[in-house]
């Protein structure tokens, strides 16, 4: 049985996140249907993270097992024939049997985009959070720096989630501006549900304020124990 790792990109606007669900269209479900067409049997695809509804991925890794002998260099082309235009498989490789897209991942980077201008830009709809009041990226960076290190992030998970443990290590949280676009890049060894979108000071999630919209969030970089990317 071969273990195949895929790299892919997707726009999450039309999907209810990655995880396969009974009543909603998801990225994982769409990819599994394409995989069945390619290898000729039903497969289970493991993704590197459960991205939420509307969240995008500039890089994403998944893996599945198959007896099909299709060459790995042909797999991206075969998958993309059966995928919609907002999901693209960019690469494939055969990996050892113990590789797991989520379990073998040691660090992840997410980027949140804010379109900070008095006037909307239609090309950033569902691609960045439109915020009309001026934001000072220097002040934002000063605040973001407090998250770097190993902390209990119970305060920045969604209300009602019971993930244990809640301690994570944030390696960096960098804020930069280019014109009207502010980039917030955060790298950690793992993320709680809605953690990137809800990062605030304090331990009480009910005092943290509203979570920013999903459309500005992208998975942008992954680190693996193996040479996958």
């Amino acid at each position: 049985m071969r273990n195949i790792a895929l790299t892919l990109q997707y726009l999450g606007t039309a999907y209810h996140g990655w995880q396969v669900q009974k009543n909603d269209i998801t990225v994982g479900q769409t990819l599994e249907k394409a995989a069945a067409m390619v290898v000729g049997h039903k497969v289970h695809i493991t993704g590197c993270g459960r991205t939420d509804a509307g969240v995008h991925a500039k890089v994403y890794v998944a893996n599945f097992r198959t007896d099909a002998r299709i060459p790995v260099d042909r797999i991206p082309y075969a998958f993309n024939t059966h995928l919609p235009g907002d999901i693209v498989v960019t690469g494939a490789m055969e990996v050892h049997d113990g590789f797991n897209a989520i379990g073998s991942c040691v660090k992840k980077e997410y980027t949140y985009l804010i379109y900070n201008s008095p006037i909307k830009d239609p090309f950033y709809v569902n691609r960045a959070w439109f915020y009309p009041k001026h934001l000072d990226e220097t002040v934002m960076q000063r605040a973001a720096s407090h998250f770097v290190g190993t902390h209990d992030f119970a305060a920045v998970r969604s209300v009602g989630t019971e993930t244990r443990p809640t301690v994570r290590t944030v390696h960096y949280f960098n804020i930069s501006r280019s014109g009207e676009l502010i980039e917030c890049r955060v790298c950690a060894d793992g993320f709680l549900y809605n953690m990137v979108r809800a990062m605030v000071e304090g331990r009480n999630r009910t005092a943290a304020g509203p979570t920013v919209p999903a459309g500005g969030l992208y998975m942008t970089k992954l680190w693996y124990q193996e040479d996958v990317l």
Side-chain angles (χ1 to χ4, degrees), residues 7-10 48 57-61 219-222 229:
T7 55
L8 57 142
Q9 299 177 316
Y10 59 82
C48 62
K58 290 188 176 181
V59 60
Y60 194 92
V61 172
M219 183 177 283
T220 47
K221 194 170 182 180
L222 299 164
L229 302 181

Side-chain angles (χ1 to χ4, degrees), residues 58 111-117 121 123-124 127-130 135 137 175-184 216 218:
K58 290 188 176 181
T111 300
Y112 196 87
L113 300 182
I114 304 171
Y115 190 74
N116 186 213
S117 170
D121 185 329
F123 292 100
Y124 283 112
R127 305 288 186 274
W129 179 33
F130 169 62
L135 294 170
E137 64 274 15
I175 313 295
S176 62
R177 177 189 283 271
S178 178
E180 288 82 16
L181 198 65
I182 296 175
E183 281 193 349
C184 309
Y218 300 74

Side-chain angles (χ1 to χ4, degrees), residues 48-68:
C48 62
R50 297 185 178 187
T51 55
D52 198 12
V55 174
H56 317 294
K58 290 188 176 181
V59 60
Y60 194 92
V61 172
N63 73 290
F64 68 97
R65 288 173 167 78
T66 182
D67 288 324

Side-chain angles (χ1 to χ4, degrees), residues 19-207:
Q19 194 73 4
V20 175
Q21 300 180 33
K22 289 183 178 180
N23 300 317
D24 294 294
I25 298 174
T26 67
V27 178
Q29 174 193 56
T30 304
L31 202 65
E32 286 187 352
K33 288 182 178 179
M37 297 291 290
V38 171
V39 301
H41 62 83
K42 186 177 180 180
V43 299
H44 170 71
I45 296 183
T46 299
C48 62
R50 297 185 178 187
T51 55
D52 198 12
V55 174
H56 317 294
K58 290 188 176 181
V59 60
Y60 194 92
V61 172
N63 73 290
F64 68 97
R65 288 173 167 78
T66 182
D67 288 324
R69 302 315 304 170
I70 179 172
V72 288
D73 62 335
R74 300 304 304 168
I75 288 177
Y77 303 99
F79 266 75
N80 291 335
T81 299
H82 301 288
L83 287 171
D86 51 6
I87 304 174
V88 177
V89 174
T90 57
M93 65 183 297
E94 194 162 348
V95 291
H96 64 83
D97 188 62
F99 175 84
N100 179 281
I102 189 167
S104 301
C105 186
V106 294
K107 290 192 297 185
K108 299 175 185 176
E109 179 195 81
Y110 282 92
T111 300
Y112 196 87
L113 300 182
I114 304 171
Y115 190 74
N116 186 213
S117 170
I119 305 297
K120 289 182 179 181
D121 185 329
F123 292 100
Y124 283 112
V125 173
N126 295 322
R127 305 288 186 274
W129 179 33
F130 169 62
Y131 192 83
K133 296 181 180 179
H134 178 72
L135 294 170
D136 187 331
E137 64 274 15
T138 303
V139 174
M140 292 174 67
Q141 181 62 74
R142 198 155 56 235
S145 297
H146 290 289
F147 289 104
V148 177
T150 302
H151 307 287
D152 185 345
F153 285 93
V156 293
R157 63 178 174 178
S158 291
V159 173
T161 58
E162 296 299 330
T163 305
R164 294 282 191 267
T166 54
V167 174
R168 298 290 187 272
T169 297
V170 173
H171 299 284
Y172 58 80
F173 193 174
N174 297 331
I175 313 295
S176 62
R177 177 189 283 271
S178 178
E180 288 82 16
L181 198 65
I182 296 175
E183 281 193 349
C184 309
R185 290 182 176 268
V186 57
C187 171
D189 60 356
F191 292 89
L192 304 176
Y193 183 64
N194 276 349
M195 176 173 160
V196 177
R197 294 196 281 142
M199 275 183 162
V200 292
E201 296 292 341
R203 298 173 61 89
N204 183 357
R205 182 66 188 94
T206 60

